[in-house]
Amino acid sequence: MKKLILISFMFLAGGSAWAGGHEHGHDHDDDLISKQDCKEMKQGIRGLLGMADYFWNEIEKASAAGKEADTGDYEGAAFYSQQAANYSVVYDVWCD
């Protein structure tokens, strides 16, 4: 059992040694996402944020009118803002 734990630890600790692309002066030849894909992803994030903003505005309109907003508006705002956040992390890691 001790050998299994030791081998598992070596794989976990050694896995970070192969993670590249974050050191200073890296030429990014081995990037997984091309510059064009990064540009498209940035535009997609902008679109997702726009959709989330639309749903938040609908919620605010309902609130200003003294009504309860539709649950679909809350779900839409949550979904699109979360998707934008997820893609922003990917963009930050691979494109920035």
Side-chain angles (χ1 to χ4, degrees):
M1 185 66 175
K2 289 181 182 180
K3 289 181 182 180
L4 181 61
I5 292 172
L6 180 63
I7 291 171
S8 298
F9 178 74
M10 288 175 29
F11 278 118
L12 290 173
S16 63
W18 289 297
H22 296 286
E23 60 272 2
H24 183 67
H26 182 68
D27 58 3
H28 296 287
D29 286 339
D30 59 347
D31 284 345
L32 293 178
I33 301 175
S34 69
K35 288 186 185 275
Q36 180 63 30
D37 289 339
C38 288
K39 183 178 177 182
E40 291 174 7
M41 187 182 307
K42 189 175 184 178
Q43 292 170 347
I45 293 167
R46 186 178 298 127
L48 290 168
L49 288 173
M51 290 298 297
D53 189 48
Y54 166 78
F55 284 110
W56 282 118
N57 288 335
E58 292 298 311
I59 293 168
E60 289 176 353
K61 284 181 195 176
S63 179
K67 298 178 185 177
E68 181 66 29
D70 185 37
T71 57
D73 291 336
Y74 288 104
E75 291 170 355
F79 174 78
Y80 286 110
S81 62
Q82 185 63 52
Q83 292 303 310
N86 291 343
Y87 277 102
S88 294
V89 170
V90 173
Y91 182 86
D92 188 42
V93 170
W94 294 106
C95 299
D96 204 17

